[in-house]
Structures are given as C-alpha cells and as structure tokens.
Amino acid sequence: MKKIAFILALWVGLLGAFEPKKSHIYFGAMVGLAPIKITPKPASDSSYTAFLWGAKGGYQFAFFKALALRGEFSYLMAIKPTALHTINTSLLSLNIDVLSDFYTYKKYSFGVYGGLGIGYFYQSNHLGMKNSSFMGYNGLFNVGLGSTIDRHHRIELGAKIPFSKTRNSFKNPYFLESVFIHATYSYMF
C-alpha cells in the first residue's frame, strides 16, 4: 500500500498537480479527408475519398499542468462532387477527450489526446440505393496529436474513428464505413 501511495504521489508531482493551467471555452474549424465506403455495394462508385470541413466548440477543464479533460460538440461534412450530383456525408458528434500536453518549450506545448464520442451520421447520395438517404448512430474513438501555442491557439491533427460499421436506420440493409481524418485550429478564450 505504501508503494502505491508513493507512486501516486510521484506521478502527481511529475504532472505538476499544484500548478494547474487555466480552463478554457474554445471554438475551432476543421478540414481534412474522409475515406468512405458503403457496403454492400449499391453502385460501382460506392467507395470514395471526400474532402471534409467542420466546426467544433466546447470546454476544456485543466486539472493538472499537463493533463486536461474536454467536452466538445462537433460537426463534420464530407463532400464528394460527382458528374451531376454531390454526395454529402455529415457527422454530428458529442465527445469527451483527455488531453496531455507533456512537452513544453517556451510558449509552445505538445502532446496527444484520446477519447470517446457518440455520433449521428447522415448521407444524402445518389449511388443507386432505393432510398437516397443514409442515417445512423455509432460510437467514436477520437485520437490525435496537438499543440498549444501561447495558451490561446490550439492546432491538432486527429481522427474520428467509428466503433464499427454504421448501420442504416432506414429499412434498407446498407452500412457506412468511414474514418474522418482532420486538421483543426481552435481559439481558446
């Protein structure tokens, strides 16, 4: 028991528990790519990579110098222009992430983040399905690298990965497979 208490005290000391950072409300913008696949194949072009953009906002609670917890609400839209139509795939998600900025140099800090979320997927497409819409829910893993610059600017490179294939909530038997890879800039107030 003494070993566990010693290890915990050492760990808390190394994280700088007595020097907490400031907590922030933040808003940001995202851009990236999303490889998307619909199974079983309703048409020959049911697998594609789309450009994505989005927005996010939330609250980041810093309870240690190098460790924070954030809750966020994000929206991503992947767009794939085709000859006469555009395929739109949207992800609306609520996420909880743990951030660790473990390396600091002057006004820059670098680290990683990871977390979980729940997402609502919607797709409006023209790939030959009888019902031209796709709608479903799935859990998400959030992972990535991040950097905070001068306590107000955060840049991240990350991914939102669904737990499994997303089943269509409509009656047709289609599944959506996707990964949302994004670069993010956030301003923290």
Side-chain angles (χ1 to χ4, degrees), residues 8 12 24 72 95 102 106 144 161 163-164:
L8 285 175
V12 168
H24 299 278
E72 82 175 20
N95 307 287
F102 53 84
K106 296 184 181 181
I161 306 165
F163 289 167
S164 63

Side-chain angles (χ1 to χ4, degrees), residues 38 49 63 66 76 82 88 92 112 115 138 154 162 165 179-180:
I38 296 178
T49 300
F63 51 92
L76 289 169
T82 58
N88 296 317
L92 190 60
V112 295
N138 205 342
R154 180 142 181 101
K165 295 178 185 177
V179 174
F180 296 87

Side-chain angles (χ1 to χ4, degrees), residues 7-8 10 12 15 26 39 57 64-65 71 74 98 100 102-103 110 119 123 142 151-152 158 160 179 182:
I7 290 171
L8 285 175
L10 181 63
V12 168
L15 288 176
Y26 66 93
T39 57
F64 291 132
K65 183 177 181 180
S74 66
V98 175
S100 177
F102 53 84
Y103 179 74
F110 303 93
Q123 184 179 57
N142 303 314
R151 292 182 289 174
H152 293 288
K160 293 184 179 294
V179 174
H182 55 84

